[in-house]
Structure formats: C-alpha cells, structure tokens
Amino acid sequence: MKILSVNAGSSSLKFQLFEMPEEKVIASGKIERIGLPASIITVKTNGEKRCKEKNVHDHAEAVQELLALLLDLKIVASLDEIKGVGHRVVHGGEKFSDSVLITDEVIAEIDKLSELAPLHNPANLIGIQAFKQVLPNAKQVAVFDTAFHQTMPIESYLYPTPYSWYEKYGIRRYGFHGTSHKYVSERAYKLLGKGPEGTKLITIHLGNGASVTAIKDGKSIETSMGFTPLAGLMMGTRSGDVDPSILPFAMQKENCTFEEALNALNYESGLKGISLISSDMRDILKGVNEGNRQCILAFNLYVKRVCDYIGQYYILLGGCDALVFTAGIGENSGQTRQAIIDRLGVLEIRLDAEANQVMGQECVVSTSDSKIKVLVIPTNEELVIARDTLRLIS
Ligand code: ADP
C-alpha cells in the first residue's frame, strides 16, 4: 500500500512516498517558493533527482503538480494507489496525545490551536485541505509534534505564572520535535537490546531547531522547548531560554516594536547572533577551527547549554542509560558531540574517538567502559508519519 508523508510549511511542501508496510521510500521531494515567482519542484526517485521551475500559486496547485509528477514519472500508475496521507502538524495542544484520523472535527481543533502556533498550524491545515480536495478517497492522518510530550507530569509542564493563565489560555510547556524524540528512542531500545521499561534516555535533537528530552519507561517526562519552539537550547537563529524582561528593555533601547524584538530572538539570535556570521553549524565549526573568536564563543555557549540540560535531566531521571544524538548537527558533527561529552566530565562518559567520526549512521560511539552509552541515531520523522498513517487507516 502506498502512503504519502507530508510536511507543509507556509511556502513549501515536502513529501515522501512509502510502500508500506515494507517501509520502502519510493519517491521523495519538495516544492519550494509556493506563491512566489519561479517555484522549484524537486522529485527524487531511484536515486535520480529531477528539478522543475514553474509558478505554483498556492498549496492546492502544489499538490496537483506533485501528483501529476508522480503519474508522469510512472511512480504510480493511478492516484488510487495512494491509500493514505499522513501530515505533520506542529501543535496538537492538550487535545492530541497520539496521531488521529483527520475528520472535520479534527480540522476544526487544529484550526483552533493555530492561536498557539500561528506560523505552523495554518500552513499544515492548508496542506490537509489541498490533499482532501485532490485525493478525496485517500484517508488522511495528523501526526503532532507535541503528542509525544503529553506524558509529561504537571511539575514539568506547568509554568509558575498565574494559574489562571494555564486554565484560561492553555499557557504551559508543550514541547516539540516529539516525532523525532519518539523515533530515536525506539531505535535506541533496539540498539541497546533493552525494552523501554526501566530504561532512562536523554535524546538530543540538534538541527536548526534543537531540543533535549528526558525519557523514562518510553515516556517523555521533560523537554526543553516550551510554550513555543523558541524555548530551551540555543539554536541556529533562536536564542532559547532568556529572561523575558530582556524584551521590553531591548525594545526601549533599540527603539523597536514588540514584533521586532521577538523577531530578533527568533531569527537573529543563537549561533547567528553570537558568531555574527552564520546560523549554520558547518560555518561555525570552520570558524572555530580557524580561531575565529566569535565562532568559538558561539560554539562554547551552544555546547554549555546542551550540557546544562543533560545535567538537569540526569538528575530528573535519577541516572541515564544512554545519550542519543540526532538531527543535522547531532548526526553529523563528531566535534560537537566530543565537546559536549568533554564538558560532562563528572559523568565519566567516554567516547570512542574512531567510532565518533560517524556521520548520519546508527552507531554506538561510546567505549565499552563508558558509564553512559552514547548513540548516534539519524532521525526519520517521515517514517513515523507513514507508520502512524498505516496504523490508523488499516
Ligand atoms: P532542520 O531543523 O532544518 O531540519 P537539520 O536537522 O537539517 O535542520 O540540521 C541543520 C544543521 O545541521 C545545520 O546547522 C547544519 O550546519 C548542521 N550540519 C549538517 N551537516 C553537518 C556536518 N557535517 N557537520 C556539522 N554540522 C552539520
């Protein structure tokens, strides 16, 4: 059975087409610059990449283009072969603790939750509506970034703000990247040869966005992102946790609006803000290795903040069986992993220098005498979406 895994953003739509339950990727690709001149459509199949430039005005047109390409390239003989479409939805609030079949009620709920994720949920909904229109016979499923973290205890998710804010407006920690943390934790149990029961993991997702999660008995018990994905670790362009009083102070000093100050925390901070050159870890590492002072400062701040969370979660979990690194930086940068482990000296973790050279492959990178195992596990959110879609439509 063919299942499409879809990630719709405000001006892009990424997809992977799976043959399920074999979990074979038949095609993947993306449509970028939707609504802008010269949109770019890229499809990869059988190791071959094809690109096409065309004006794609909206998401409905993007979906039509994509499906036409799947037919043209004979990736599918008929659109009826696609039995399910799984959508990444960023915010599921307190309503969704698992993936769900999409109904009109679910669409209304996702729409209601747009208030909590104004950049993401509306774009995800446009993707859902577009597929509903073009593939009316395929079943659709929503997979939420927040769902995995719904197991957090109240002490982890409640902020010490007025309680009425939580009751009236749902102001609390939700956490994100849940699909990724869930996927790598499940792979970790396989690699460790242990079940989730009694196993304590700290999963460290370091991409452009970044978050850390403490997982006990297969459940998320605390995570670093909060009410929004701005919280927690220092990221590519996001500050992570800062004192909220910085906002009005900076507004006054910089003579800027609230939106401008908030944009500075979202888009001009993190690695980019401190290094003064780039949000991309590859550029930062190049700078570090060339002795660039700002890059060294950015890298050290980044590493320190990851370690702060690992230390905190080690205490919260009452120990830890394995640290799991994932996403662009976590999967590919041995230098970053090494710097993090070096700073955690008291935990007596030892990396195998040779194994730690690994890039983008599942691997145990700690030595056999390390007090805590260290794993590198490439994340695969698209596969989780396809699996959940298969589970819910079967
Ligand atoms: P996103 O959150 O957009 O999905 P990714 O998971 O693709 O992001 O991660 C992007 C980050 O991974 C960037 O900072 C990039 O520099 C970093 N990255 C990718 N490859 C490497 C590498 N070989 N070494 C260091 N960093 C890398």
Side-chain angles (χ1 to χ4, degrees), residues 292-308:
N292 177 307
R293 266 187 47 201
Q294 289 303 128
C295 287
I296 294 171
L297 187 59
F299 185 68
N300 290 346
L301 232 77
Y302 186 92
V303 167
K304 178 190 178 285
R305 291 198 154 209
V306 176
C307 293
D308 289 348

Side-chain angles (χ1 to χ4, degrees), residues 5 12-13 170 285 299 314 350:
S5 202
S12 70
L13 192 146
L285 289 172
F299 185 68
Y314 180 85
R350 308 263 176 270

Side-chain angles (χ1 to χ4, degrees), residues 184-203 215 217-218 320-325 362-368 370-377:
V184 299
S185 64
E186 285 169 359
R187 290 301 312 161
Y189 303 129
K190 293 244 156 63
L191 242 71
L192 295 169
K194 287 178 167 197
E197 283 313 307
T199 304
K200 298 163 181 172
L201 300 177
I202 299 176
T203 51
I215 302 175
D217 302 328
C320 177
D321 295 291
L323 301 181
V324 184
F325 284 95
E362 277 189 11
C363 188
V364 179
V365 296
S366 49
T367 58
S368 53
S370 177
K371 283 269 169 70
I372 299 173
K373 287 207 164 62
V374 184
L375 314 178
V376 172
I377 301 182

Side-chain angles (χ1 to χ4, degrees), residues 87 102 104 107 127-137 140:
H87 296 266
I102 296 177
D104 288 344
I107 289 178
I128 292 171
Q129 298 288 14
F131 275 98
K132 210 171 148 210
Q133 199 184 327
V134 183
L135 288 180
N137 297 325
Q140 303 209 58

Side-chain angles (χ1 to χ4, degrees), residues 205-209 271 279-282 285 327-329 332-333 359:
H205 177 115
L206 306 177
N208 281 316
L271 290 173
S279 62
D280 192 299
M281 186 55 104
R282 285 164 290 203
L285 289 172
I329 301 169
N332 295 303
S333 175
M359 288 172 81

